Amino acid sequence: MARSNPTLRQRRLGAELRRMREQAGFGGSQLGRAVGMNPAQVTQMEAGKIGISVERLHTIAATCMCVNQPLIDALAEIITNRGRSSWWEEYRDTLATDFLEVAELESDAERLTTYSTSLIPGLLQTGAYATALFAQTYPPLPHHEIDLRTAFRIQRQRVVRSGAVPYTAFIHQAALHMQFGGPRVLTEQLNALDVDSEHPNISVRVVPFSAGVVPSPSENFTYAAGPITELDSAEMDTGHGIRLFDAPAHLARFRALIAQMDSTALSEEASRDLIRSVKKEMEQEHG
């Protein structure tokens, strides 16, 4: 039976199967004839709308002459875990799919890296800061929707605070000065960021004003490392929702951006000192 709304994980499995077929030079009909599927089933499989067994995965890989065993094993793991329960499913009828897919991306990652230009990244936001951001959404959101989104964002943070996923946050210095919710909310946020920067699983690196060339301000993104490089993913926030990237060329570009930031951002210690300095200035200016 076809799935009406395949998950991010299911769509990624289908995308990798499509890449495997295309690299072998097969059309959908050719592959279908070789593995006992009709063309419509191949199309639905590659869209993540129908599942396949691990045995069929191995048949497809052999037919496509794929010798990348780590990739085959990682795809088999996706198939094996397709029925697992996920905490964000309880929000499926109350939040847009974009929110759920970000949580799924983060939960499946082996390692997370974010870059943020004008705000503290969601995985490190306080409840008051997140609420202030959602309150500025236009058109305005009702209070219950703001509360729901804030609760969901705070719940997402467990993936890094628990130590389950190592996390590096590159934050532009400008974000340390943006007063979402006013000076008191920002001061509390900077204090929380200072505390988080001491977490053994969290690395906070500030990109200073003096860094010069940095990625475009529109490129606030999350890079999620998979079990193998081929299954890395990236997500970028836009004014029209999130965009997901998994094509090798796109992922290579994101990795280059991360390498650039790694060479220009302050060290963890220097970043922590700058965060404390900005917090102190806020306290002195606003009491």
Side-chain angles (χ1 to χ4, degrees), residues 12 46 177 253:
R12 184 58 186 277
E46 294 180 352
H177 297 270
R253 179 172 179 270

Side-chain angles (χ1 to χ4, degrees), residues 89-129:
E89 289 298 331
E90 65 186 85
Y91 290 88
R92 187 161 293 281
D93 295 327
T94 54
L95 284 176
T97 302
D98 280 0
F99 289 91
L100 311 185
E101 293 195 340
V102 169
E104 185 176 357
L105 183 79
E106 294 166 345
S107 179
D108 284 345
E110 298 286 323
R111 185 176 64 260
L112 287 166
T113 302
T114 62
Y115 173 60
S116 190
T117 58
S118 60
L119 47 84
I120 305 304
L123 289 173
L124 300 177
Q125 291 175 7
T126 65
Y129 187 93

Side-chain angles (χ1 to χ4, degrees), residues 87 91 94-99 122 125-127 130-157:
W87 66 264
Y91 290 88
T94 54
L95 284 176
T97 302
D98 280 0
F99 289 91
Q125 291 175 7
T126 65
T131 295
L133 286 175
F134 289 129
Q136 293 188 14
T137 300
Y138 188 83
L141 295 168
H143 291 301
H144 75 272
E145 179 72 11
I146 293 173
D147 292 342
L148 180 67
R149 294 187 181 196
T150 298
F152 185 82
R153 178 157 295 180
I154 297 304
Q155 197 165 355
R156 273 175 46 208
Q157 297 175 358

Side-chain angles (χ1 to χ4, degrees), residues 3-277:
R3 307 181 182 102
S4 56
N5 293 299
T7 66
L8 180 62
R9 190 181 301 117
Q10 291 159 352
R11 296 204 311 273
R12 184 58 186 277
L13 171 63
E16 293 302 320
L17 291 170
R18 182 186 68 251
R19 264 191 277 273
M20 190 182 294
R21 171 180 61 76
E22 290 173 345
Q23 288 172 359
F26 289 141
S29 297
Q30 290 175 292
L31 177 65
R33 285 195 297 272
V35 301
M37 300 174 70
N38 62 50
Q41 287 175 316
V42 172
T43 298
Q44 290 181 319
M45 173 189 72
E46 294 180 352
K49 293 184 176 181
I50 61 171
I52 62 169
S53 65
V54 172
E55 291 75 15
R56 174 148 283 176
L57 166 67
H58 286 295
T59 299
I60 292 171
T63 301
C64 294
M65 295 172 287
C66 176
V67 294
N68 187 341
Q69 194 58 47
L71 173 62
I72 296 169
D73 292 342
L75 296 180
E77 187 71 14
I78 292 176
I79 294 171
T80 301
N81 292 332
R82 64 189 169 198
R84 76 181 188 189
S85 59
S86 305
W87 66 264
W88 55 86
E89 289 298 331
E90 65 186 85
Y91 290 88
R92 187 161 293 281
D93 295 327
T94 54
L95 284 176
T97 302
D98 280 0
F99 289 91
L100 311 185
E101 293 195 340
V102 169
E104 185 176 357
L105 183 79
E106 294 166 345
S107 179
D108 284 345
E110 298 286 323
R111 185 176 64 260
L112 287 166
T113 302
T114 62
Y115 173 60
S116 190
T117 58
S118 60
L119 47 84
I120 305 304
L123 289 173
L124 300 177
Q125 291 175 7
T126 65
Y129 187 93
T131 295
L133 286 175
F134 289 129
Q136 293 188 14
T137 300
Y138 188 83
L141 295 168
H143 291 301
H144 75 272
E145 179 72 11
I146 293 173
D147 292 342
L148 180 67
R149 294 187 181 196
T150 298
F152 185 82
R153 178 157 295 180
I154 297 304
Q155 197 165 355
R156 273 175 46 208
Q157 297 175 358
R158 293 185 304 181
V159 73
V160 294
R161 297 189 190 281
S162 67
V165 179
Y167 175 43
T168 298
F170 289 102
I171 306 171
H172 196 278
Q173 186 176 348
L176 305 182
H177 297 270
M178 298 294 287
Q179 295 187 27
F180 298 106
R184 177 174 295 181
V185 171
L186 178 57
T187 300
E188 292 175 351
Q189 175 63 77
L190 292 174
N191 184 66
L193 187 62
D194 180 13
V195 173
D196 283 334
S197 72
E198 300 271 14
H199 193 291
N201 195 59
I202 298 173
S203 174
V204 176
R205 305 275 307 280
V206 176
V207 179
F209 290 127
S210 61
V213 178
V214 293
S216 164
S218 66
E219 297 194 31
N220 301 327
F221 64 82
T222 297
Y223 192 92
I228 57 173
T229 302
E230 292 92 329
L231 291 184
D232 289 359
S233 301
E235 171 265 318
M236 183 184 295
D237 295 325
T238 74
H240 302 286
I242 68 169
R243 289 187 63 194
L244 295 165
F245 301 87
D246 57 36
H250 289 147
L251 296 176
R253 179 172 179 270
F254 281 108
R255 286 194 290 270
L257 290 174
I258 291 171
Q260 178 185 353
M261 287 185 289
D262 186 53
S263 66
T264 58
L266 301 177
S267 67
E268 292 181 6
E269 183 177 359
S271 296
R272 193 175 298 117
D273 288 343
L274 180 56
I275 291 166
R276 291 171 179 171
S277 175

